Amino acid sequence: AMSAVDRSVRVGRMLGVYEAGAYRIAVLLAKCLQGVLGAIGTVFAPIIARCHGKQEWARLESLYYTATRWALLLSFPIATALFIFAPQVLAIFSVSAGEAVLTLRILLLGQIFNIMVGNVGIILTMAGLTKFHAWNGMLMFAAGVVLNVLLVPALGMYGAAVAAAGTVVMMNVLRVVQVWRAFQFHPFCRPVMSVVPPAVICVGLLMVWSLSERYIPGGRLVFLAMAFLLAAGGMWVSYAMTQKCEDDRALLKGVMGSMSRVLWPQVRS
């Protein structure tokens, strides 16, 4: 997919200055979710390459499920809060409600799908299937240009958002099919879908919280900060109470061990 800047510049040639600026802010807000997936991919990429080199296919599959599950656990609360409270978030950047709200929500749906399928692009690259990665990039570049040319003049920011989200979805569908053909696993299975009940709880909590805005002192920023904390806490606690996954426990143990090795010497000193 093309960068947010490239996409915004192209849209800026078709829309007015204000609409292009509002669209760019919506794009940047939606793309902040990619930071979670990118961070997890950075950690797991060398492990994926090692599993492929040793032909540890079962370990590779388990690792993919764990990484995708944790990407959803970390990013879904942020995405849900941004989706439900899009008018309040955009108001912080002096962007009025209206087209920008729906634009942001369309872009968020594309990014949620991107996170839901996990680091399929990294798996293709680390497994040496770079030709698929290259062809996917070229096809999606062409698709993005065509969709923007067709949709932006007719639908404005909505068309640009649909083109961006559609490009992300199409690229990831291609990658999922390629990973499935190469390794016979995919994200639409029980190990990944185990985050659905906590996600439903997260959405429910935020819907209830949206009714309390007028009663929360401290202004919009305090209300939004508490919304993000509520979403994350509700999803993580409900997942911890309902799931008993060995990979999750091993991951948490490793993270806690790393943190203790870093923090304990500082505490002693």
Side-chain angles (χ1 to χ4, degrees):
M2 287 165 281
S3 69
V5 175
D6 291 340
R7 197 181 301 280
S8 300
V9 168
R10 187 171 58 256
V11 171
R13 297 173 182 173
M14 304 178 189
L15 300 174
V17 176
Y18 174 80
E19 289 79 5
Y23 176 72
R24 181 175 181 181
I25 290 174
V27 169
L28 293 175
L29 285 171
K31 286 179 74 71
C32 72
L33 298 175
Q34 290 185 354
V36 175
L37 190 63
I40 292 177
T42 301
V43 173
F44 284 101
I47 307 176
I48 291 172
R50 186 164 61 249
C51 290
H52 180 265
K54 295 182 178 180
Q55 298 186 352
E56 297 175 347
W57 310 123
R59 180 57 183 158
L60 177 62
E61 180 179 2
S62 176
L63 182 67
Y64 167 68
Y65 292 152
T66 301
T68 304
R69 189 165 56 247
W70 276 91
L72 282 168
L73 285 169
L74 293 173
S75 61
F76 188 81
I78 301 174
T80 307
L82 287 173
F83 189 94
I84 294 176
F85 302 112
Q88 294 91 330
V89 173
L90 288 169
I92 296 175
F93 301 93
S94 301
V95 177
S96 60
E99 290 187 5
V101 172
L102 181 57
T103 298
L104 175 57
R105 287 172 173 168
I106 294 171
L107 292 168
L108 286 170
L109 291 176
Q111 290 302 321
I112 290 172
F113 185 83
N114 181 40
I115 294 170
M116 185 174 67
V117 302
N119 285 296
V120 283
I122 290 180
I123 289 179
L124 291 174
T125 301
M126 293 296 101
L129 302 175
T130 52
K131 62 178 181 180
F132 290 131
H133 199 62
W135 277 107
N136 292 344
M138 289 187 288
L139 288 174
M140 291 308 103
F141 181 88
V145 172
V146 171
L147 287 174
N148 274 282
V149 170
L150 292 177
L151 296 178
V152 173
L155 301 176
M157 280 196 292
Y158 296 155
V162 171
T167 301
V168 170
V169 171
M170 286 189 292
M171 172 176 280
N172 281 288
V173 168
L174 274 176
R175 289 172 172 173
V176 167
V177 172
Q178 290 159 355
V179 169
W180 165 251
R181 292 188 59 138
F183 304 108
Q184 285 74 54
F185 57 78
H186 59 84
F188 308 107
C189 58
R190 185 175 179 180
V192 177
M193 294 298 106
S194 62
V195 303
V196 170
V200 172
I201 293 174
C202 173
V203 173
L205 288 173
L206 286 179
M207 293 298 292
V208 173
W209 182 252
S210 66
L211 303 175
S212 66
E213 181 175 6
R214 67 179 68 178
Y215 306 109
I216 303 299
R220 182 184 295 117
L221 288 176
V222 173
F223 173 77
L224 290 174
M226 294 177 69
F228 283 109
L229 291 174
L230 178 66
M235 187 161 182
W236 298 342
V237 170
S238 59
Y239 180 80
M241 293 175 63
T242 58
Q243 303 300 322
K244 305 293 183 182
C245 180
E246 291 294 335
D247 284 339
D248 290 339
R249 285 198 289 265
L251 178 62
L252 286 174
K253 183 178 180 181
V255 171
M256 294 301 294
S258 299
M259 292 178 62
S260 65
R261 286 192 294 271
V262 172
L263 297 177
W264 178 244
Q266 299 179 10
V267 172
R268 293 185 59 184
S269 62

